[in-house]
Amino acid sequence: MRIGTLGNGLMAEALAGQWVKAGHDVMVGGRDPVRAAEVAKRIGAASGSLSEAAEYGDGVLLAVPADVAVDVAAMVPAGRTVIDCTNALDHRDFTLAHPGTAEAISRAVPEVQVVKAFNLAAETVWRNPPVGLGVPICGDGGMELVQELVRDLGCVPVEAGGLRRAKLLEATAALAIGIWVGGGDVRGMFPRLADAFGAVLPGQP
Ligand SMILES: NC(=O)c1ccc[n+]([C@@H]2O[C@H](COP(=O)([O-])OP(=O)(O)OC[C@H]3O[C@@H](n4cnc5c(N)ncnc54)[C@H](OP(=O)(O)O)[C@@H]3O)[C@@H](O)[C@H]2O)c1
């Protein structure tokens, strides 16, 4: 598929680099053409302005600071899927500066499909994703496109509900990052379903 990135920073390079390797056509979009071209060259993609990348992609990765996410997402044409990986993290105490970024994008740009995804792990993880890592995604449309992009990383898409639940994913990222920074083990916090409830539900490991 054709993928545009809005932003040419760490997340755009990490994720788009994997999608190039998976055979997708990628355009890295940035506000500075030189920086966008440098990143694109490193990963083997094309480059363009933010609006060119927004026009280009069937899927458009929104990888900018959360406080400008709504304004930047407004460049995406109707019918496309915006993949929102932003975290409105308040680094002072690892809370959210403002919850509900994905929903705010959807309210402001209702003609696009917004899917929250990839916000739970650091860009270093996406450069070399652990095989089988679960990637929760929240959205009301565009889910199949994002599921494909998750699988392209060797990861497993986890349907985490509609866009109304995206704010929970945003809060989970803030919680997890705070625990990581404090030296805690986030992956050790969640038992398997069977271990938690003593029963295995159909389709659950
Ligand atoms: N880094 C991580 O590990 C990680 C993990 C999960 C989620 N996230 C989230 O992903 C998003 C991107 O993070 P990142 O690490 O890739 O950030 P980054 O490396 O700092 O890159 C940010 C990108 O946003 C662009 N940008 C900044 N202000 C802009 C504006 N006003 N208008 C248009 N573009 C603007 C920057 O453009 P210039 O190059 O021109 O400055 C840059 O291309 C953030 O919301 C972050 O919370 C990050």
Side-chain angles (χ1 to χ4, degrees), residues 121 125-126 129-136 150 153-158 187:
V125 172
W126 302 126
V131 174
L133 179 73
V135 179
V150 170
L153 302 180
C155 300
V156 178
V158 178
R187 292 199 79 175

Side-chain angles (χ1 to χ4, degrees), residues 33-45:
V34 175
R35 276 201 291 274
E38 284 170 356
V39 171
K41 189 174 174 197
R42 279 203 291 276
I43 65 173

Side-chain angles (χ1 to χ4, degrees), residues 9-177:
L10 295 171
M11 284 291 275
E13 180 168 351
L15 286 164
Q18 299 296 340
W19 293 328
V20 170
K21 286 184 201 159
H24 297 295
D25 297 318
V26 174
M27 179 184 286
V28 174
R31 57 184 175 173
D32 179 322
V34 175
R35 276 201 291 274
E38 284 170 356
V39 171
K41 189 174 174 197
R42 279 203 291 276
I43 65 173
S47 67
S49 65
L50 290 168
S51 59
E52 284 167 341
E55 290 279 342
Y56 180 82
D58 303 309
V60 180
L61 176 71
L62 182 63
V64 295
D67 56 359
V68 298
V70 168
D71 290 343
V72 174
M75 297 180 194
V76 180
R80 311 294 175 82
T81 297
V82 171
I83 306 148
D84 170 26
C85 71
T86 66
N87 282 323
L89 196 65
D90 183 336
H91 287 87
R92 291 170 302 183
D93 59 359
F94 301 103
T95 57
L96 285 176
H98 49 87
T101 303
E103 279 183 289
I105 295 166
S106 184
R107 276 195 302 275
V109 199
E111 61 279 10
V112 303
Q113 296 166 320
V114 182
V115 178
K116 192 91 199 179
F118 304 112
N119 67 313
L120 274 196
E123 52 89 15
T124 47
V125 172
W126 302 126
R127 285 175 198 271
N128 188 18
V131 174
L133 179 73
V135 179
I137 60 178
C138 288
D140 298 331
M143 297 289 270
E144 286 180 11
L145 181 148
V146 180
Q147 285 166 352
E148 180 183 342
L149 295 179
V150 170
R151 288 192 196 98
D152 287 335
L153 302 180
C155 300
V156 178
V158 178
E159 285 204 39
L163 201 61
R164 267 171 58 78
R165 289 172 60 87
K167 64 172 84 67
L168 305 181
L169 210 39
E170 294 166 7
T172 303
L175 181 71
I177 292 165

